[in-house]
Amino acid sequence: MNPIIRNALAVIAGLTAGSAVNMGLVMAGAEIIPPPAGVDVRDVESIKSHMHLFEFKHFIAPFLAHGLGTLVGAFAAVIIAAASKIKMALVIGVLFLILGSINALMLPTPVWFVVVDLVGAYLPMAWIGARLSARVQRSA
């Protein structure tokens, strides 16, 4: 297969896998740590109007979802990519960082969470995903 097409498919697969993990963890997190009364986590307007009720514990699942979604997406992209594997992982990290930044602008999220999330959940986890996939590929 043409390496350019394979790398494009790697990015698409990474975004798809990472997004699935992200959404799954956000929804599971809402079941494990219920949101404040009256909040529908599937409705952005509900989250916006009730953000003042959110406590530290309510930000654990979103942070894990963002970080692990990026890690899985980068891992998948590196496994599928034909070349420039670290670059493919970082492309996933940058794309999720952009999406996370848009999310941070849409929601009145506390500044401490925005900083921790944008600094810790995207590029570092993409790099870790790339390193993990390299180890898996070497041992196979």
Side-chain angles (χ1 to χ4, degrees), residues 58-72:
H58 297 113
F59 294 99
I60 295 170
F63 178 75
L64 289 174
H66 298 165
L68 294 176
T70 303
L71 185 135
V72 167

Side-chain angles (χ1 to χ4, degrees), residues 108-118:
T109 312
V111 173
W112 68 264
F113 178 72
V114 172
V115 171
V116 168
D117 192 48
L118 295 180

Side-chain angles (χ1 to χ4, degrees), residues 11-44:
V11 170
I12 292 168
L15 286 173
T16 302
S19 295
V21 168
N22 185 330
M23 284 308 300
L25 288 173
V26 166
M27 292 300 135
E31 295 296 321
I32 296 168
I33 302 172
V39 178
D40 180 3
V41 294
R42 295 175 303 252
D43 179 19
V44 173

Side-chain angles (χ1 to χ4, degrees), residues 43-92:
D43 179 19
V44 173
E45 292 305 318
S46 175
I47 295 170
K48 282 182 181 179
S49 63
H50 294 90
M51 186 60 76
H52 64 282
L53 299 174
F54 280 69
E55 300 172 31
F56 175 81
K57 66 183 179 182
H58 297 113
F59 294 99
I60 295 170
F63 178 75
L64 289 174
H66 298 165
L68 294 176
T70 303
L71 185 135
V72 167
F75 186 93
V78 170
I79 294 291
I80 296 168
S84 304
K85 294 178 180 270
I86 296 291
K87 288 180 185 175
M88 292 297 105
L90 292 177
V91 164
I92 296 297

